[in-house]
Amino acid sequence: MTLTFVLNGHPCTAEAPAHWTVLDLLRDGLSLTGTKDGCGEGVCGTCTVLADGRPIRACLVLAAHVRGRALVTVEGLETDGRLDPLQTAFAERGAAQCGFCTPGMLLAAKALLTEDPAPTAQEVREALSGNLCRCTGYAKIVEAVLAAAPGRS
Amino acid sequence: MRLRPFELVEPETLADALAALARLDGEARLIAGGTALVPMLRLGLVKPERLISLHRLPALAEIRTDDGTLRLGAIATLADIERARAVREGWPLLAEAVHRVASPAIRTSGTIGGNLCYAEAASDPAPALLCLEAEVRVAGPAGERSVPVTGFFRGFYETALEPGELVTAVRIPAVPAGALSGYVKFTPRSAEDKPLVGVAALITLDTAGRCAEARIGLAGAAPTPIRAHRAEMVLRGEAPSDTTVRAAAEAAAREAEPLSDLMGSADYRREMIRVWVRRLLVAMRDGTHRAEPNQD
Ligand SMILES: Cc1cc2nc3c(=O)[nH]c(=O)nc-3n(C[C@H](O)[C@H](O)[C@H](O)COP(=O)(O)OP(=O)(O)OC[C@H]3O[C@@H](n4cnc5c(N)ncnc54)[C@H](O)[C@@H]3O)c2cc1C
Ligand code: FES
Ligand code: FES
């Protein structure tokens, strides 16, 4: 199956078997390993990427379903070599420890800030509710997202 | 771990989708968002040779109102439904219940038709659709038909769909004027879990303050989502006083036939039905029901 879509702002054509998920396509087909394979069942959120600006679970969505859509992975968050404000805030505030949940957290947060540039702490928690972190205890992640929210400063 | 290989069919017309479903060679399964099906494929609970995807049928994704009736195409996503202005304004109970499904990324892909056809007892939208007396539109080899949602769930993960049939839309009549409604989802572990029990309710009060309409939908209270008819009978014709609400909650707990599973025992579920039916009805009556989940 040939798939054409937009990947991190660039047109992309890739070959994928019909039974591949978006996660298989990204990690194995395109060697973009920033997107993490955690549970494979939709529960942990480490595989979160954006499709047309909204968060999806790459492990649950068939690769065929992203034809013609715009995907953003953690590799696409920086612009011209400059980190996204969310990435900087995560780094500065200790919101990443082992880092396994971080790509998914960043993209779930990115989707929220694109839709609502000035969310409350409760809205941040809700937006990240499907992303598990076993290290940080979440407080610093929520702080980092609030610090990066363009409408709050 | 990869999924087991299957053939993927991506019809572009409803007729082609039905023709693909009618093929008799090998087991086929429909896939909408895949949020329920893909985990089942991964665990090997189902091993279809062919998946028929509905994603190239944009007509099935439409959300619109016709003469006061809301029509949700089967592949309308939960994310689009919770954001649709028509839904938030005209059918707030549905917007509230859909918003409580899992987490944002599941709602981006998950569809209303997939939720109904998965027929899980622990569905968040189902109790709301039961209270709203929705009608499920079905297409199949013999043409189209309608099934009231109250008759759609037939048993544990079982629906009224016949072989070769698929859901095309859900139609929801206008909410009675002045109705009070609300949904509570009780999750003992964390907020994005499936509901241990879910309670949706819709009541209208007459000029004397008595319940004219009283509808209660329950998730996690039986092998399928159900209406709590006995509890509704307790409320109808009565003012929702503390005593009446308690009696209704008691009736709901007694008529429930919950199952035991890893999330909770049947006894615990029954007890939580009693608690949450009472709390929801009191909060609706007092105007203190909040659509947002608890902060803790
Ligand atoms: C981590 C996780 C958490 C979840 N939490 C919740 C929750 O809190 N609350 C909740 O209610 N649900 C929850 N779900 C279940 C699921 O996400 C929803 O039920 C979702 O709405 C299913 O829709 P879908 O389009 O993804 O279905 P799919 O997975 O595509 O399909 C589900 C089933 O329905 C059939 N089907 C799909 N569309 C049609 C159609 N039009 N006609 C006939 N058959 C059809 C498929 O063949 C399949 O058997 C959760 C799932 C996961 C993975
Ligand atoms: S790997 Fe996709 S949600 Fe866990
Ligand atoms: S930083 Fe380790 S899981 Fe979140």
Side-chain angles (χ1 to χ4, degrees):
Chain A
M1 187 172 69
T2 304
L3 303 174
T4 43
F5 55 100
V6 175
L7 178 61
N8 293 329
H10 303 287
C12 176
T13 302
E15 281 298 324
H19 65 282
W20 273 20
T21 61
V22 175
L23 188 58
D24 299 326
L25 172 68
L26 291 171
R27 289 183 60 89
D28 302 336
L30 300 164
S31 303
L32 290 175
T33 53
T35 306
K36 300 300 174 205
D37 184 355
C39 65
E41 296 178 13
V43 177
C44 74
T46 61
C47 67
T48 306
V49 298
L50 304 185
D52 296 338
R54 293 227 184 119
I56 61 166
R57 297 282 203 237
C59 70
L60 295 184
V61 176
L62 292 185
H65 284 191
V66 301
R67 260 199 223 96
R69 301 176 73 180
L71 286 190
V72 176
T73 68
V74 71
E75 290 87 353
L77 273 184
E78 60 180 46
T79 13
D80 304 329
R82 298 226 330 270
L83 293 181
D84 187 274
L86 270 167
Q87 293 172 298
T88 314
F90 267 57
E92 283 173 354
R93 286 165 195 261
Q97 289 183 25
C98 80
F100 197 76
C101 70
T102 311
M105 287 286 180
L106 287 168
L107 290 157
K110 185 75 187 170
L112 170 70
L113 296 187
T114 308
E115 196 162 350
D116 179 359
T120 63
Q122 177 59 20
E123 284 162 347
V124 172
R125 281 189 209 104
E126 233 185 89
L128 302 181
S129 63
N131 293 72
L132 304 185
C133 175
R134 297 291 82 151
C135 304
T136 64
Y138 302 101
K140 289 185 187 298
I141 295 178
V142 175
E143 267 173 42
V145 177
L146 290 173
R152 283 180 61 102
S153 46
Chain B
M1 193 189 63
R2 293 269 168 73
L3 301 180
R4 233 168 137 261
F6 47 74
E7 179 199 346
L8 183 65
V9 188
E10 301 173 275
E12 294 185 32
T13 65
L14 183 59
D16 285 349
L18 290 171
L21 261 186
R23 273 170 60 183
L24 295 175
D25 55 317
E27 193 199 335
R29 279 266 178 171
L30 291 163
I31 181 163
T35 61
L37 186 65
V38 171
M40 289 197 284
L41 293 170
R42 201 166 313 266
L43 294 172
L45 297 176
V46 290
K47 297 177 176 166
E49 280 143 274
R50 192 159 59 248
L51 289 195
I52 304 165
S53 171
L54 300 175
H55 79 119
R56 283 191 168 172
L57 298 169
L60 292 195
E62 214 178 38
I63 299 173
R64 63 179 158 87
T65 50
D66 287 329
D67 276 345
T69 298
L70 176 66
R71 187 183 181 286
L72 305 172
I75 65 165
T77 64
L78 302 174
D80 283 344
I81 293 168
E82 66 175 312
R83 283 172 177 77
R85 196 147 158 213
V87 179
R88 298 169 81 102
E89 287 174 1
W91 291 266
L93 175 59
L94 180 67
E96 187 185 345
V98 163
H99 179 66
R100 297 305 315 277
V101 173
S103 50
I106 300 276
R107 299 197 295 273
T108 304
S109 309
T111 67
I112 194 72
N115 193 283
L116 280 171
C117 295
Y118 188 38
E120 197 174 30
S123 157
D124 290 299
L129 292 172
L130 286 164
C131 283
L132 294 168
E133 308 205 315
E135 187 185 295
V136 184
R137 295 288 300 166
V138 172
E144 294 205 25
R145 66 186 179 112
S146 276
V147 183
V149 73
T150 46
F152 187 74
F153 304 116
R154 287 290 167 82
F156 193 55
Y157 293 100
E158 229 184 276
T159 69
L161 289 179
E162 299 289 341
E165 286 188 325
L166 57 80
V167 169
T168 54
V170 182
R171 283 170 50 176
I172 308 173
V175 173
L180 303 176
S181 65
Y183 178 67
V184 284
K185 167 175 185 164
F186 176 58
T187 56
R189 293 182 309 193
S190 68
E192 83 286 0
D193 250 340
K194 293 181 180 177
L196 180 88
V197 300
V199 183
L202 183 152
I203 59 174
T204 61
L205 299 175
D206 63 19
T207 47
R210 290 178 301 239
C211 293
E213 281 284 349
R215 305 180 199 161
I216 298 174
L218 301 175
T224 68
I226 55 166
R227 281 276 291 266
H229 293 293
R230 302 230 173 96
E232 294 173 358
M233 265 153 49
V234 170
L235 288 170
R236 259 182 229 123
E238 300 289 330
S241 64
D242 285 352
T243 314
T244 302
V245 164
R246 249 174 224 288
E250 183 63 41
R254 246 184 289 131
E255 71 188 294
E257 293 173 356
L259 300 173
S260 293
D261 62 19
L262 285 176
M263 259 173 103
S265 67
D267 284 346
Y268 182 48
R269 283 200 159 88
R270 197 185 295 282
E271 195 50 36
M272 290 304 104
I273 290 162
R274 187 198 324 275
V275 168
W276 288 101
V277 168
R278 175 172 56 77
R279 288 189 187 168
L280 174 63
L281 291 171
V282 166
M284 280 164 49
R285 177 195 71 193
D286 297 346
T288 56
H289 174 66
R290 290 187 331 124
E292 292 304 314
N294 295 334
Q295 306 249 336
D296 50 17

